[in-house]
Amino acid sequence: MVSPNTEISYDSKIEGDLVVSRLDAVINWIRTNSMWPMPMGLACCAIELMAVAAARFDIARFGAEVMRFSPRQADCMIVAGTVTYKMAPQVRRIYDQMPAPKWVIAMGACASTGGMYRSYAVLQGVDRIVPVDVYVSGCPPRPEALLDALIKLQAKVRREPAAQRLFKT
Amino acid sequence: MTATTDVATALTERFPQVTARPSLDWPAFNVPVGQLLDVLRHLRDKCAFDLLVDVTAIDWSAAQSPRFTVVWHLLSTVRHTYVRLATDCADDANPAMPSATGLWPGANWHEREAYDMFGISFSGHPDLRRILMWDGYPYFPLRKEFPLAGLETALPDPAVAEETGAKVKPAPYMGGPFVAAAGGSMDEAEPRAKDQSWTEHQEKPV
């Protein structure tokens, strides 16, 4: 015969190990520490992006080492390089294919502003077609600069009211 | 292959209408359109110029006629010398030129580039599409009347253009163009902004 449980407080014999926290904090903790990048390597910045992923700088320390070449599995698009007008729609389409929540890092001068390419062929800043969260200066930026951008993005994500957005239609 | 014969004499003997063209480095020739493919084939088969290095064009500006000149660079991998051929396009409005793809398959992309940048249509080309700009781009960017900053037009993808509201716009040129000064010391010749009196927010003074 099983007696009904009338206690409403926490019972460790029934529920096991438990940590009480805010939902925002939990969701953001998960998101910030497994931010899978979508490497939009379009020019020389992509070389620095590879260096960030390699052993010396090791972006895995920040949980962002899983470069996903499918936008469906990515959280953060790193636009590394010159975005030409010919390429711009594809960048936007890949961004559209990423599941929300999603973030964008504009890596380097070209992705941020068009850089030195004041030209008929080059999009003057990727923020004209996708919303950018963090801009990284440099031509190309040092790997440390990209790591700093990732840390800044994580700080930004930590401030987000994630729980509210979960139920927003 | 006529081993030591000068290319100039070899060519002008065979093709009397071919004339020498002023050149600072390698031998260069003006070739009439009608003889162009024969001259190219002769150079390839009889003079050992077996490698087509480049096909490009010159726009002498709309005021000039003939306006467009197509230029071929050939390399002999046997003699280790170059030769340059130039042919004027007869029609200034719709420049056309016979294609060299029948002689060198590598001419394919060179001619596509010349078509993309200058609008020269190469007759006999198997696949004359744009190569750098996207299909449907309305301008030929290396023509003299085309501004370096570009001209406003639509993005290649209409759906993305509608979603983002983005357009192809002229690049901002405040402080520019960034050009090197001729002459002077190396320090003075460094490319730098020539006119910083205007910005994105402040119109260029007339």
Side-chain angles (χ1 to χ4, degrees):
Chain A
M1 188 79 189
V2 179
S3 59
N5 180 19
T6 51
E7 288 183 41
I8 53 171
S9 60
Y10 169 63
D11 184 345
S12 65
K13 292 194 178 69
I14 297 170
E15 305 190 50
D17 296 335
L18 193 77
V19 175
V20 180
S21 176
R22 287 166 53 242
L23 184 56
D24 274 355
V26 173
I27 292 172
N28 288 338
W29 175 67
I30 295 167
R31 283 182 181 167
T32 50
N33 291 300
S34 66
M35 200 169 271
W36 291 8
M38 166 79 226
M40 284 300 301
L42 301 173
C44 29
C45 276
I47 304 295
E48 296 300 300
L49 180 59
M50 290 174 226
V52 175
R56 190 179 178 94
F57 296 97
D58 196 12
I59 202 171
R61 295 179 292 154
F62 306 94
E65 78 279 22
V66 197
M67 300 282 173
R68 290 286 107 170
F69 294 92
S70 162
R72 308 285 183 202
Q73 301 169 345
D75 302 306
C76 169
M77 185 159 84
I78 300 176
V79 184
T82 318
V83 185
T84 59
Y85 282 119
K86 197 177 182 181
M87 189 65 189
Q90 278 80 327
V91 173
R92 174 69 200 196
R93 277 182 186 277
I94 287 170
Y95 176 79
D96 284 342
Q97 287 167 0
M98 287 164 56
K102 51 191 170 184
W103 299 276
V104 177
I105 295 175
M107 179 183 177
C110 293
S112 302
T113 67
M116 65 176 190
Y117 297 105
R118 294 276 179 262
S119 154
Y120 58 90
V122 175
L123 184 70
Q124 301 294 309
V126 76
D127 52 4
R128 295 197 180 184
I129 52 163
V130 292
V132 175
D133 293 284
V134 184
Y135 299 86
V136 191
S137 63
C139 183
R142 290 279 311 169
E144 297 95 317
L146 186 64
L147 289 178
D148 185 52
L150 179 67
I151 292 165
K152 282 199 163 57
L153 180 59
Q154 288 175 337
K156 179 181 180 178
V157 171
R158 265 186 218 108
R159 291 196 302 272
E160 283 184 1
Q164 284 178 28
R165 299 229 174 116
L166 272 187
F167 303 109
K168 211 167 73 174
T169 50
Chain B
M1 172 188 161
T2 48
T4 52
T5 325
D6 188 15
V7 181
T9 51
L11 255 191
T12 43
E13 272 174 22
R14 176 83 169 71
F15 301 97
Q17 284 171 286
V18 172
T19 54
R21 182 181 174 84
S23 169
L24 290 176
D25 43 12
W26 302 102
F29 305 97
N30 289 311
V31 183
V33 182
Q35 290 190 321
L36 176 73
L37 291 183
D38 292 335
V39 170
L40 286 172
R41 184 177 286 110
H42 182 78
L43 284 172
R44 185 189 70 171
D45 295 341
K46 299 291 192 297
C47 304
F49 285 95
D50 47 357
L51 182 65
L52 178 70
V53 179
D54 194 16
V55 180
T56 184
I58 305 166
D59 180 1
W60 298 106
S61 88
Q64 303 281 322
S65 185
R67 182 177 171 185
F68 293 99
T69 301
V70 182
V71 178
W72 294 261
H73 289 101
L74 305 183
L75 169 69
S76 171
T77 56
V78 183
R79 303 184 190 190
H80 308 295
T81 56
Y82 289 89
V83 67
R84 185 181 300 123
L85 303 180
T87 302
D88 296 331
C89 292
D91 190 344
D92 292 344
N94 300 299
M97 193 53 60
S99 169
T101 45
L103 297 169
W104 289 275
N108 190 316
W109 282 17
H110 290 308
E111 290 175 359
R112 280 179 65 187
E113 189 187 8
Y115 165 69
D116 192 356
M117 292 289 124
F118 293 95
I120 292 160
S121 54
F122 288 86
S123 51
H125 192 287
D127 181 29
L128 195 64
R129 288 178 294 129
R130 285 183 177 272
I131 191 169
L132 297 170
M133 307 305 283
W134 58 94
D135 291 332
Y137 186 70
Y139 304 107
F140 298 111
L142 286 192
R143 287 193 176 182
K144 282 281 186 262
E145 76 269 13
F146 187 87
L148 180 58
L151 294 169
E152 184 167 319
T153 177
L155 273 187
D157 189 324
V160 169
E162 192 188 346
E163 192 178 355
T164 60
K167 286 177 183 167
V168 176
K169 284 188 175 168
Y173 252 86
M174 61 277 195
F178 303 89
V179 290
S185 66
M186 286 293 282
D187 184 49
E188 289 163 10
E190 181 85 3
R192 60 167 61 99
K194 297 300 175 201
D195 176 13
Q196 303 200 347
S197 59
W198 58 295
T199 65
E200 264 181 326
H201 305 293
Q202 189 181 337
E203 286 294 309
K204 184 177 185 177
V206 183

